[in-house]
Amino acid sequence: MTIAKQRNPLRQLRPVLELLADGEVHSGQALGDALGVSRAAVWKQLQKLTACGLEVESVKGRGYRVPGGLDLLSAERLGASLEPAAQDLLRELLLRDEVDSTNAQILQRLEQGRGHGVAMLAERQTAGRGRRGRQWVSPFGSGISLSLGWQFSGGVQLLEGLSLAVGVALAEALDDFGVPGVTLKWPNDVWCRGRKLAGVLLELTGDLTDRCGVVVGVGLNVGLPESEACSIDQPWIDLNQVRPGIGRNELAAAMLSRLLVLLEQYPARGFSAYRAAWQERDAFAGRRIILEAARQSWVGYARGVNDSGALLLDTDSGLRSFHGGEVSLRGAQE
Ligand code: ATP
């Protein structure tokens, strides 16, 4: 495994980030002395950090602090926490301070034939992706933005249900850190206390009938500032509200370890091997729901998923199955 550290374009802010990471109050003077710059230059750097979505508090007459401190991504810590099987499967680990979208970056690498087994994590995404062109909110240091590339041969049908199996892998990693009550919302969300904790986005490239690549993208909230979350149009939650103190590097390593093993085994095992585990965590099992597509919606009772990961909906006109793609699930009045 190669660990490549390349921290553009926020590289110049690294030193001040590392000083503020302890969560203590630092005076402008002390920061300036430590960085070898003027107080005005310190202030400018802090403005840039705020613009990246980082909460920098000004403590009157004393200085500045990042409430709760920062648990910065570290290639060494993350690499050391990977399971041995994952260390063998991971070809390259890329850490970035800021990218447009980790999925876009890995997709590009797959298209260039150098994305297999490559994982990228970013402190901040400026254009984090959701399904159907939606945005994933990921301000600096607030969560885990992780994408992993994998090359398959045998066509895309081998990946049927994979986004659900990814949800299972993430939920199991969260269990290991004592996060209680993690459930899954079809097709691609990880929930906690009935709110969205993480999202999964799979993107494909190549010849979908033969040799193709998949990017498994995960966005998970660890400590999302309210000020940055105001654009999220559905209930959300972060780990700090449920189980504070989990190390981002250790959790990212646990997630990545499970995802690598999952991707290696998935073509041979298929979704049926993960179906029971998915159904045990089904947030809407037996509940009345609405499935919404662009021009149509269906109402019925959620009856779990079939062996390809399609949602089973018990409607007035019988049992219907729905594949992910264009459909959104919402709770309905009983
Ligand atoms: P649905 O939740 O209807 O299935 P979706 O699957 O299209 O929607 P995703 O593509 O997984 O959703 O993610 C994008 C959506 O997630 C956004 O439209 C927004 O509602 C929500 N969202 C964006 N950022 C976050 C975040 N950091 N935490 C929780 N939810 C978010």
Side-chain angles (χ1 to χ4, degrees), residues 94-135:
L94 303 165
L95 296 193
R96 298 285 186 267
D97 276 339
E98 179 180 285
V99 290
D100 48 357
S101 142
T102 53
N103 259 33
Q105 296 287 321
I106 296 294
L107 202 58
Q108 192 182 35
R109 284 177 172 259
L110 279 172
E111 280 158 5
Q112 295 164 347
R114 53 191 188 103
H116 180 75
V118 179
M120 178 179 283
L121 286 109
E123 296 282 10
R124 176 188 191 216
Q125 295 184 99
T126 55
R129 294 182 181 177
R131 290 195 301 156
R132 289 165 286 164
R134 298 191 192 186
Q135 286 264 326

Short mmCIF file of all heavy atoms in Angstrom, two decimals, residues 94-135:
data_model
loop_
_atom_site.label_atom_id
_atom_site.label_comp_id
_atom_site.label_asym_id
_atom_site.label_seq_id
_atom_site.Cartn_x
_atom_site.Cartn_y
_atom_site.Cartn_z
N LEU A 94 -5.14 8.05 -0.39
CA LEU A 94 -4.91 9.46 -0.71
C LEU A 94 -5.68 10.33 0.27
O LEU A 94 -6.89 10.16 0.43
CB LEU A 94 -5.41 9.76 -2.13
CG LEU A 94 -4.82 8.91 -3.25
CD1 LEU A 94 -5.64 9.04 -4.51
CD2 LEU A 94 -3.39 9.33 -3.51
N LEU A 95 -4.98 11.23 0.96
CA LEU A 95 -5.65 12.16 1.87
C LEU A 95 -5.57 13.55 1.28
O LEU A 95 -4.51 13.97 0.81
CB LEU A 95 -4.98 12.18 3.24
CG LEU A 95 -5.00 10.92 4.08
CD1 LEU A 95 -4.58 11.23 5.51
CD2 LEU A 95 -6.37 10.27 4.08
N ARG A 96 -6.69 14.24 1.30
CA ARG A 96 -6.74 15.60 0.76
C ARG A 96 -7.38 16.53 1.78
O ARG A 96 -8.28 16.14 2.51
CB ARG A 96 -7.62 15.64 -0.51
CG ARG A 96 -7.10 14.79 -1.65
CD ARG A 96 -5.90 15.47 -2.30
NE ARG A 96 -5.46 14.77 -3.49
CZ ARG A 96 -4.51 13.84 -3.53
NH1 ARG A 96 -3.92 13.47 -2.40
NH2 ARG A 96 -4.15 13.28 -4.66
N ASP A 97 -6.92 17.77 1.81
CA ASP A 97 -7.60 18.75 2.65
C ASP A 97 -8.89 19.20 1.99
O ASP A 97 -9.91 19.36 2.65
CB ASP A 97 -6.70 19.97 2.89
CG ASP A 97 -5.75 19.72 4.05
OD1 ASP A 97 -6.05 18.84 4.87
OD2 ASP A 97 -4.71 20.39 4.12
N GLU A 98 -8.84 19.41 0.69
CA GLU A 98 -10.03 19.90 -0.01
C GLU A 98 -10.07 19.35 -1.43
O GLU A 98 -9.07 19.40 -2.14
CB GLU A 98 -9.98 21.43 -0.06
CG GLU A 98 -11.15 22.04 -0.77
CD GLU A 98 -11.06 23.56 -0.81
OE1 GLU A 98 -11.31 24.18 0.23
OE2 GLU A 98 -10.73 24.11 -1.87
N VAL A 99 -11.21 18.81 -1.81
CA VAL A 99 -11.43 18.40 -3.21
C VAL A 99 -12.85 18.81 -3.59
O VAL A 99 -13.66 19.15 -2.73
CB VAL A 99 -11.29 16.88 -3.44
CG1 VAL A 99 -9.87 16.42 -3.30
CG2 VAL A 99 -12.20 16.09 -2.53
N ASP A 100 -13.14 18.75 -4.90
CA ASP A 100 -14.52 18.97 -5.33
C ASP A 100 -15.37 17.84 -4.76
O ASP A 100 -16.29 18.05 -3.97
CB ASP A 100 -14.62 19.09 -6.86
CG ASP A 100 -13.89 17.97 -7.60
OD1 ASP A 100 -13.24 17.11 -6.96
OD2 ASP A 100 -13.97 17.93 -8.84
N SER A 101 -15.04 16.62 -5.16
CA SER A 101 -15.79 15.45 -4.70
C SER A 101 -14.85 14.26 -4.71
O SER A 101 -14.17 14.02 -5.72
CB SER A 101 -16.97 15.24 -5.65
OG SER A 101 -17.20 13.87 -5.88
N THR A 102 -14.78 13.54 -3.63
CA THR A 102 -13.88 12.37 -3.60
C THR A 102 -14.35 11.35 -4.64
O THR A 102 -13.54 10.69 -5.28
CB THR A 102 -13.81 11.74 -2.20
OG1 THR A 102 -15.13 11.45 -1.75
CG2 THR A 102 -13.13 12.65 -1.20
N ASN A 103 -15.68 11.22 -4.84
CA ASN A 103 -16.16 10.30 -5.87
C ASN A 103 -15.67 10.71 -7.26
O ASN A 103 -15.22 9.86 -8.04
CB ASN A 103 -17.70 10.27 -5.88
CG ASN A 103 -18.25 9.06 -5.16
OD1 ASN A 103 -17.66 8.60 -4.18
ND2 ASN A 103 -19.37 8.54 -5.61
N ALA A 104 -15.76 12.01 -7.55
CA ALA A 104 -15.34 12.49 -8.88
C ALA A 104 -13.86 12.18 -9.09
O ALA A 104 -13.44 11.75 -10.18
CB ALA A 104 -15.59 13.98 -9.00
N GLN A 105 -13.06 12.34 -8.06
CA GLN A 105 -11.62 12.11 -8.17
C GLN A 105 -11.31 10.63 -8.44
O GLN A 105 -10.48 10.30 -9.27
CB GLN A 105 -10.91 12.53 -6.87
CG GLN A 105 -11.01 14.01 -6.56
CD GLN A 105 -10.13 14.84 -7.47
OE1 GLN A 105 -9.02 14.43 -7.79
NE2 GLN A 105 -10.62 15.98 -7.91
N ILE A 106 -12.00 9.76 -7.72
CA ILE A 106 -11.71 8.33 -7.90
C ILE A 106 -12.29 7.83 -9.23
O ILE A 106 -11.68 7.00 -9.91
CB ILE A 106 -12.25 7.51 -6.70
CG1 ILE A 106 -11.50 7.91 -5.42
CG2 ILE A 106 -12.13 6.02 -6.93
CD1 ILE A 106 -10.02 7.56 -5.40
N LEU A 107 -13.43 8.37 -9.62
CA LEU A 107 -14.02 8.01 -10.90
C LEU A 107 -13.04 8.33 -12.03
O LEU A 107 -12.81 7.52 -12.93
CB LEU A 107 -15.32 8.79 -11.09
CG LEU A 107 -16.34 8.24 -12.06
CD1 LEU A 107 -16.78 6.84 -11.69
CD2 LEU A 107 -17.58 9.16 -12.12
N GLN A 108 -12.44 9.50 -11.92
CA GLN A 108 -11.47 9.91 -12.94
C GLN A 108 -10.28 8.95 -12.98
O GLN A 108 -9.83 8.54 -14.04
CB GLN A 108 -11.00 11.33 -12.61
CG GLN A 108 -10.23 11.98 -13.71
CD GLN A 108 -9.76 13.36 -13.27
OE1 GLN A 108 -9.42 13.59 -12.10
NE2 GLN A 108 -9.76 14.30 -14.19
N ARG A 109 -9.83 8.55 -11.80
CA ARG A 109 -8.71 7.60 -11.76
C ARG A 109 -9.09 6.27 -12.37
O ARG A 109 -8.30 5.64 -13.07
CB ARG A 109 -8.25 7.38 -10.31
CG ARG A 109 -7.45 8.53 -9.83
CD ARG A 109 -7.05 8.38 -8.39
NE ARG A 109 -6.13 9.44 -8.09
CZ ARG A 109 -4.80 9.30 -8.03
NH1 ARG A 109 -4.25 8.12 -8.18
NH2 ARG A 109 -4.03 10.33 -7.80
N LEU A 110 -10.31 5.81 -12.10
CA LEU A 110 -10.75 4.54 -12.70
C LEU A 110 -10.77 4.66 -14.22
O LEU A 110 -10.35 3.74 -14.92
CB LEU A 110 -12.15 4.17 -12.20
CG LEU A 110 -12.25 3.51 -10.83
CD1 LEU A 110 -13.71 3.39 -10.40
CD2 LEU A 110 -11.60 2.12 -10.82
N GLU A 111 -11.25 5.81 -14.71
CA GLU A 111 -11.31 6.01 -16.17
C GLU A 111 -9.91 6.00 -16.77
O GLU A 111 -9.73 5.63 -17.91
CB GLU A 111 -12.04 7.32 -16.48
CG GLU A 111 -13.55 7.12 -16.39
CD GLU A 111 -14.34 8.41 -16.16
OE1 GLU A 111 -13.73 9.50 -16.17
OE2 GLU A 111 -15.57 8.30 -15.96
N GLN A 112 -8.93 6.39 -15.97
CA GLN A 112 -7.54 6.39 -16.47
C GLN A 112 -6.84 5.06 -16.18
O GLN A 112 -5.64 4.94 -16.37
CB GLN A 112 -6.75 7.53 -15.79
CG GLN A 112 -7.26 8.90 -16.17
CD GLN A 112 -6.75 9.99 -15.21
OE1 GLN A 112 -6.21 9.69 -14.14
NE2 GLN A 112 -6.94 11.24 -15.60
N GLY A 113 -7.60 4.10 -15.67
CA GLY A 113 -7.04 2.77 -15.42
C GLY A 113 -6.16 2.69 -14.19
O GLY A 113 -5.34 1.77 -14.07
N ARG A 114 -6.30 3.65 -13.25
CA ARG A 114 -5.44 3.60 -12.06
C ARG A 114 -6.23 3.86 -10.79
O ARG A 114 -5.75 4.49 -9.85
CB ARG A 114 -4.27 4.59 -12.19
CG ARG A 114 -4.70 5.98 -12.51
CD ARG A 114 -3.59 6.90 -12.89
NE ARG A 114 -4.12 8.26 -12.98
CZ ARG A 114 -3.95 9.20 -12.06
NH1 ARG A 114 -3.23 8.96 -10.99
NH2 ARG A 114 -4.47 10.38 -12.21
N GLY A 115 -7.46 3.33 -10.78
CA GLY A 115 -8.32 3.58 -9.61
C GLY A 115 -8.61 2.35 -8.77
O GLY A 115 -9.21 2.45 -7.70
N HIS A 116 -8.18 1.18 -9.23
CA HIS A 116 -8.52 -0.04 -8.49
C HIS A 116 -7.81 -0.09 -7.14
O HIS A 116 -6.59 0.06 -7.06
CB HIS A 116 -8.14 -1.27 -9.31
CG HIS A 116 -8.47 -2.55 -8.61
ND1 HIS A 116 -9.76 -3.02 -8.50
CD2 HIS A 116 -7.68 -3.44 -7.94
CE1 HIS A 116 -9.75 -4.14 -7.80
NE2 HIS A 116 -8.50 -4.42 -7.45
N GLY A 117 -8.60 -0.29 -6.10
CA GLY A 117 -8.01 -0.39 -4.76
C GLY A 117 -7.51 0.94 -4.23
O GLY A 117 -6.73 0.96 -3.27
N VAL A 118 -7.93 2.04 -4.83
CA VAL A 118 -7.48 3.36 -4.39
C VAL A 118 -8.57 4.02 -3.55
O VAL A 118 -9.73 4.09 -3.97
CB VAL A 118 -7.12 4.26 -5.60
CG1 VAL A 118 -6.67 5.63 -5.12
CG2 VAL A 118 -6.05 3.60 -6.45
N ALA A 119 -8.21 4.49 -2.38
CA ALA A 119 -9.17 5.17 -1.50
C ALA A 119 -8.74 6.62 -1.33
O ALA A 119 -7.55 6.92 -1.23
CB ALA A 119 -9.20 4.50 -0.13
N MET A 120 -9.73 7.49 -1.32
CA MET A 120 -9.44 8.90 -1.05
C MET A 120 -10.34 9.39 0.08
O MET A 120 -11.55 9.12 0.10
CB MET A 120 -9.68 9.75 -2.29
CG MET A 120 -9.44 11.23 -2.03
SD MET A 120 -9.67 12.27 -3.48
CE MET A 120 -8.18 11.95 -4.38
N LEU A 121 -9.73 10.13 1.00
CA LEU A 121 -10.49 10.80 2.06
C LEU A 121 -10.18 12.28 1.99
O LEU A 121 -9.04 12.66 1.73
CB LEU A 121 -10.09 10.29 3.44
CG LEU A 121 -10.61 8.90 3.76
CD1 LEU A 121 -9.48 7.93 3.77
CD2 LEU A 121 -11.33 8.93 5.09
N ALA A 122 -11.19 13.10 2.24
CA ALA A 122 -10.96 14.55 2.20
C ALA A 122 -11.51 15.18 3.46
O ALA A 122 -12.55 14.77 3.98
CB ALA A 122 -11.62 15.15 0.98
N GLU A 123 -10.81 16.21 3.94
CA GLU A 123 -11.32 16.97 5.09
C GLU A 123 -12.55 17.77 4.69
O GLU A 123 -13.46 17.97 5.48
CB GLU A 123 -10.25 17.95 5.61
CG GLU A 123 -9.00 17.32 6.16
CD GLU A 123 -9.21 16.76 7.57
OE1 GLU A 123 -10.35 16.71 8.06
OE2 GLU A 123 -8.20 16.36 8.18
N ARG A 124 -12.56 18.20 3.44
CA ARG A 124 -13.68 19.03 2.97
C ARG A 124 -13.96 18.72 1.50
O ARG A 124 -13.04 18.57 0.71
CB ARG A 124 -13.29 20.50 3.09
CG ARG A 124 -14.32 21.43 2.55
CD ARG A 124 -13.83 22.86 2.50
NE ARG A 124 -14.94 23.75 2.21
CZ ARG A 124 -14.85 24.84 1.47
NH1 ARG A 124 -13.70 25.19 0.94
NH2 ARG A 124 -15.91 25.59 1.25
N GLN A 125 -15.25 18.65 1.15
CA GLN A 125 -15.64 18.57 -0.26
C GLN A 125 -16.38 19.86 -0.60
O GLN A 125 -17.27 20.28 0.13
CB GLN A 125 -16.58 17.40 -0.50
CG GLN A 125 -15.97 16.04 -0.26
CD GLN A 125 -16.94 14.93 -0.63
OE1 GLN A 125 -16.87 14.35 -1.69
NE2 GLN A 125 -17.89 14.67 0.27
N THR A 126 -16.01 20.44 -1.71
CA THR A 126 -16.71 21.67 -2.12
C THR A 126 -17.93 21.34 -2.99
O THR A 126 -18.80 22.18 -3.15
CB THR A 126 -15.77 22.61 -2.90
OG1 THR A 126 -15.23 21.85 -4.00
CG2 THR A 126 -14.66 23.13 -2.02
N ALA A 127 -17.95 20.14 -3.57
CA ALA A 127 -19.09 19.73 -4.40
C ALA A 127 -19.39 18.26 -4.14
O ALA A 127 -19.43 17.45 -5.07
CB ALA A 127 -18.78 19.98 -5.87
N GLY A 128 -19.56 17.92 -2.85
CA GLY A 128 -19.87 16.54 -2.47
C GLY A 128 -21.16 16.10 -3.17
O GLY A 128 -22.10 16.87 -3.27
N ARG A 129 -21.16 14.86 -3.66
CA ARG A 129 -22.29 14.43 -4.49
C ARG A 129 -23.27 13.53 -3.76
O ARG A 129 -22.88 12.69 -2.95
CB ARG A 129 -21.77 13.61 -5.66
CG ARG A 129 -20.94 14.38 -6.64
CD ARG A 129 -20.56 13.43 -7.75
NE ARG A 129 -19.74 14.05 -8.77
CZ ARG A 129 -19.24 13.41 -9.80
NH1 ARG A 129 -19.49 12.12 -9.95
NH2 ARG A 129 -18.50 14.01 -10.69
N GLY A 130 -24.56 13.72 -4.09
CA GLY A 130 -25.60 12.77 -3.69
C GLY A 130 -26.20 12.18 -4.95
O GLY A 130 -25.70 12.43 -6.05
N ARG A 131 -27.27 11.44 -4.81
CA ARG A 131 -27.92 10.88 -6.00
C ARG A 131 -28.58 12.00 -6.80
O ARG A 131 -28.96 13.02 -6.24
CB ARG A 131 -29.00 9.88 -5.59
CG ARG A 131 -28.44 8.60 -5.00
CD ARG A 131 -29.49 7.51 -4.95
NE ARG A 131 -30.66 7.88 -4.15
CZ ARG A 131 -31.86 7.35 -4.31
NH1 ARG A 131 -32.07 6.44 -5.25
NH2 ARG A 131 -32.87 7.72 -3.54
N ARG A 132 -28.77 11.75 -8.05
CA ARG A 132 -29.51 12.65 -8.95
C ARG A 132 -29.08 14.10 -8.82
O ARG A 132 -29.91 15.00 -8.70
CB ARG A 132 -31.02 12.51 -8.68
CG ARG A 132 -31.57 11.18 -9.15
CD ARG A 132 -32.93 10.91 -8.59
NE ARG A 132 -32.85 10.56 -7.18
CZ ARG A 132 -33.85 10.56 -6.34
NH1 ARG A 132 -35.04 10.90 -6.76
NH2 ARG A 132 -33.68 10.20 -5.08
N GLY A 133 -27.79 14.30 -8.80
CA GLY A 133 -27.26 15.67 -8.79
C GLY A 133 -27.43 16.41 -7.47
O GLY A 133 -27.18 17.61 -7.40
N ARG A 134 -27.85 15.70 -6.43
CA ARG A 134 -28.00 16.40 -5.14
C ARG A 134 -26.64 16.61 -4.49
O ARG A 134 -25.66 15.95 -4.83
CB ARG A 134 -28.87 15.57 -4.21
CG ARG A 134 -30.25 15.40 -4.77
CD ARG A 134 -31.13 14.82 -3.73
NE ARG A 134 -32.38 14.38 -4.30
CZ ARG A 134 -33.38 13.93 -3.57
NH1 ARG A 134 -33.25 13.83 -2.27
NH2 ARG A 134 -34.49 13.55 -4.15
N GLN A 135 -26.62 17.50 -3.53
CA GLN A 135 -25.36 17.86 -2.87
C GLN A 135 -25.21 17.12 -1.55
O GLN A 135 -26.21 16.92 -0.85
CB GLN A 135 -25.38 19.35 -2.54
CG GLN A 135 -25.18 20.26 -3.73
CD GLN A 135 -23.72 20.67 -3.87
OE1 GLN A 135 -23.03 20.83 -2.87
NE2 GLN A 135 -23.26 20.81 -5.09
#
